[in-house]
DNA sequence: TCTGGGGTCCTAGGACCC
DNA sequence: TCTGGGGTCCTAGGACCC
């Protein structure tokens, strides 16, 4: 048996923990660059606001109803997330962290699962102030679905155990939502399924496997099996080795100057290389991309993407940076209104699985340098030391973040004063 | 003019997730 | 005026090999 536990409106709930005055007020959290709404509380949904809506389209509504608006504060959400995961891990033998706000828990060997669900839920609320919901079921897909229902049916009080339902009620539960609400069935697949008359999760669970095989990829068959209670999607407590590291940001304003792009690419390269070292990995392929403003129809659109194989596995900033800058030289075209740039590291291995190049004496120097930079930035705050290209440009490329809350839990200078 | 079978690897694009 | 970021997996098609 598995549980899927997630924080309700997680980012907004994190903000509320430190702003009790917002408890009953609508709250929304924005994407980077203060662009779109990415998280909303129930009160905000009730006003008709939707996830994904650009902020500027709903400015009036937000003003009229005094909606509290926050820029994203990943320092805070990341820290609250690890606290929540730690609480959950203290109750169950194994946890698979699935995203910043949710995890699967392996419940094998445990008893009284429903009351355990309630206990976990109330401990999370008591200890860190985040409201959470719990779905419990024999497969991950069903646990996810139970969680979905627990969030929507107030009578369940935040916890639903599939095995508490009679077979009749299980059928009803599967028939009461649209097929697109199932984990793994997105807009495209649900449209195709609905054309075949498969409208609800129940329909999908009863569909003939032969038909599904003919018309859909393998994951749809697995999902259908999981809905029947047959485990087809593995529980993975160990995070699989990541395959890529990507850092990118949209710019606050359109950028035309190559120096601005250089600054952005430099910053992303530094950060991406920093992730490599933090996770004790090395990468063999470095790529960048620069994109024009896709909403500006009157100016030329441009997608510049390229990457280079380094021949050896590296994790130092100077090497990554060097290649990123060379790629920018190749891709840059003048006269384009650029809106976004990013750096991608691929072909990744753990450090201990990669051999240093025996004759590359410089490698060790660069690694030492990078380690020193990491230490200084860890001790005195990120950005204390950086490569000069980052500072050698205008402000256009930087991110907009006008309504960010303090880093209450991770910076002494920003701790809440009472 | 005819023109096999079996395999791997890589890449791009699409779909999905949060 | 303002429109997010970071991932994974699957599939098809092409290149290449014996």
């Amino acid at each position: 048996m598995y549980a899927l536990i997630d924080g309700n409106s997680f980012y907004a709930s994190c903000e509320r923990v430190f702003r009790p005055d917002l408890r009953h007020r609508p709250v929304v959290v924005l994407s980077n660059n203060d662009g779109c709404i990415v998280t909303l509380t129930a009160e905000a949904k009730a006003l008709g606001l939707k996830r994904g809506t650009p902020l500027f389209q709903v400015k009036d509504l937000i003003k009229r109803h005094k909606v509290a608006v926050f820029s994203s504060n990943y320092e805070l959400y990341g820290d609250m997330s690890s606290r929540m995961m730690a609480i959950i891990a203290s109750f169950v033998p194994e946890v698979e962290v699935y995203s910043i706000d949710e995890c699967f828990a392996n419940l094998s060997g445990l008893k009284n699962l429903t009351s355990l669900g309630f206990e976990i839920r109330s401990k999370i609320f008591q200890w860190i102030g985040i409201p959470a919901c719990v779905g419990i079921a024999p497969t991950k897909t069903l646990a996810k679905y139970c969680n979905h229902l627990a969030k929507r049916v107030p009578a369940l009080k935040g916890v639903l155990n599939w095995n508490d339902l009679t077979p009749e009620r299980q059928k009803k539960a599967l028939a009461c939502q649209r097929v697109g609400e199932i984990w793994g069935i997105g807009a495209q697949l649900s449209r195709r399924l609905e054309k075949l008359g498969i409208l609800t999760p129940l329909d999908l669970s009863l569909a003939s496997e032969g038909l599904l095989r003919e018309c859909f990829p393998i994951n749809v068959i697995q999902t259908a099996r999981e809905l029947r209670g047959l485990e087809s999607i593995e529980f993975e407590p160990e995070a699989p080795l990541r395959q890529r590291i990507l850092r990118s940001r949209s710019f606050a304003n359109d950028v035309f100057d190559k120096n601005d792009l250089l600054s952005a690419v430099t910053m992303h390269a530094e950060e991406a290389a920093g992730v490599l070292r933090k996770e004790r990995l090395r990468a063999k392929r470095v790529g960048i991309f620069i994109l024009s403003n896709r909403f500006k129809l009157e100016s030329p659109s441009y997608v510049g993407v390229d990457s280079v194989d380094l021949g050896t596995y590296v994790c130092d900033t100077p090497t990554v940076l060097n290649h990123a800058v060379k790629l920018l030289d190749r891709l840059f075209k003048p006269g384009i209104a650029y809106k976004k740039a990013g750096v991608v590291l691929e072909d990744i291995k753990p450090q201990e699985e990669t051999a240093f190049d025996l004759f590359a004496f410089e490698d060790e120097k660069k690694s030492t340098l990078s380690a020193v930079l990491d230490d200084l930035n860890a001790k005195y705050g990120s950005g204390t030391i950086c490569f000069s290209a980052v500072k050698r440009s205008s402000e256009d490329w930087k991110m907009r973040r006008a309504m960010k809350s303090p880093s209450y839990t991770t910076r002494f200078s920003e701790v809440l004063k009472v």
Side-chain angles (χ1 to χ4, degrees), chain A residues 14-54:
Chain A
C14 289
E15 300 291 353
R16 267 181 175 166
V17 170
F18 298 91
R19 289 286 306 276
D21 57 307
L22 300 178
R23 195 165 300 162
H24 302 293
R25 265 179 62 191
V27 177
V28 301
V29 179
L30 305 177
S31 63
N32 279 322
N33 232 7
D34 294 344
C36 302
I37 295 175
V38 294
T39 306
L40 341 66
T41 60
E43 297 84 352
K45 283 176 198 159
L47 295 174
L49 293 170
K50 290 209 169 62
R51 202 188 124 86
T53 310

Side-chain angles (χ1 to χ4, degrees), chain A residues 308-414:
Chain A
V308 54
D309 188 320
L310 307 183
T312 51
Y313 288 87
V314 305
C315 65
D316 68 280
T317 301
T319 305
V320 171
L321 187 48
N322 194 340
H323 287 95
V325 169
K326 276 186 197 150
L327 288 167
L328 178 63
D329 281 335
R330 288 225 293 270
L331 291 175
F332 178 77
K333 282 206 274 184
I336 308 258
Y338 291 99
K339 185 60 182 172
K340 185 171 178 179
V343 169
V344 196
L345 304 178
E346 286 166 317
D347 207 336
I348 288 176
K349 279 192 177 179
Q351 282 182 17
E352 56 280 6
E353 282 178 31
T354 63
F356 264 126
D357 183 345
L358 188 58
F359 299 103
F361 301 111
E362 288 300 312
D363 279 358
E364 210 174 322
K365 270 201 197 158
K366 287 180 195 152
S367 302
T368 315
L369 173 64
S370 298
V372 170
L373 297 190
D374 290 343
D375 286 348
L376 285 170
N377 285 329
K379 190 164 177 185
Y380 298 104
S382 67
T384 301
I385 292 231
C386 67
F387 284 77
S388 63
V390 176
K391 307 256 167 179
R392 218 171 42 199
S393 62
S394 73
E395 297 285 303
D396 282 335
W397 65 277
K398 291 192 176 148
M399 177 166 58
R400 220 175 286 132
R401 244 180 150 188
M403 294 149 286
K404 194 179 90 63
S405 56
S407 298
Y408 297 107
T409 61
T410 47
R411 294 190 187 217
F412 277 118
S413 58
E414 297 179 21

Side-chain angles (χ1 to χ4, degrees), chain A residues 183-326:
Chain A
W183 183 42
I185 307 296
Q188 202 70 27
L189 287 171
S190 52
R191 226 173 298 141
R192 281 166 57 196
L193 285 163
E194 280 167 12
K195 260 190 208 151
L196 293 172
I198 298 171
L199 305 179
T200 67
L202 181 65
D203 296 337
L204 181 57
S205 75
L206 298 175
S208 109
E209 200 159 306
L211 173 76
L212 294 180
R213 256 178 212 292
E214 236 170 79
C215 310
F216 295 99
I218 180 76
N219 48 325
V220 174
I221 288 129
Q222 287 174 336
T223 297
R225 284 190 189 163
E226 289 243 319
L227 288 175
R228 278 181 260 131
L230 301 170
E231 204 178 328
S232 307
I233 301 175
E234 243 181 293
F235 178 77
E236 291 173 289
E238 303 274 321
L241 193 64
R242 68 149 100 217
Q243 300 179 9
R244 54 194 284 184
I245 294 169
L246 190 150
R247 277 301 100 124
S248 75
R249 283 282 174 281
S250 298
F251 306 135
N253 301 312
D254 285 348
V255 156
F256 293 89
D257 186 350
K258 192 174 168 192
N259 274 330
D260 287 344
L261 286 178
L262 182 66
S263 297
V265 166
T266 301
M267 185 186 74
H268 295 318
E270 275 188 297
E271 286 188 14
V275 173
L276 278 179
R277 294 191 292 273
K278 198 170 165 208
E279 300 189 8
R280 305 192 48 76
L281 303 168
R282 289 205 177 106
K284 192 158 77 75
R285 180 167 282 277
V286 175
I288 75 161
F289 57 87
I290 51 177
L291 310 178
S292 60
N293 189 340
R294 66 197 161 108
F295 295 104
K296 209 171 197 170
L297 299 173
E298 69 275 16
S299 62
S301 80
Y302 176 54
V303 178
V305 193
D306 203 359
S307 66
V308 54
D309 188 320
L310 307 183
T312 51
Y313 288 87
V314 305
C315 65
D316 68 280
T317 301
T319 305
V320 171
L321 187 48
N322 194 340
H323 287 95
V325 169
K326 276 186 197 150

Side-chain angles (χ1 to χ4, degrees), chain A residues 71-143:
Chain A
S71 303
S72 50
N73 180 353
Y74 287 100
E75 221 173 305
L76 175 65
Y77 313 147
D79 184 63
M80 295 298 281
S81 169
S82 25
R83 288 165 196 251
M84 183 174 85
M85 300 305 173
I87 293 170
I88 295 165
S90 72
F91 283 94
V92 298
E94 277 182 317
V95 168
E96 174 189 339
V97 175
Y98 179 66
S99 77
I100 191 162
D101 71 327
E102 66 187 293
C103 68
F104 290 99
N106 183 357
L107 305 180
S108 53
L110 301 176
K111 297 216 171 78
N112 302 323
L113 300 184
T114 310
S115 52
L116 177 69
F118 278 108
E119 199 182 343
I120 293 175
R121 181 172 186 270
S122 74
K123 274 290 180 270
I124 293 173
F125 190 72
Q126 186 188 345
W127 287 352
I128 62 169
I130 299 284
C133 284
V134 182
I136 300 169
T139 66
K140 283 166 67 170
T141 304
L142 278 175

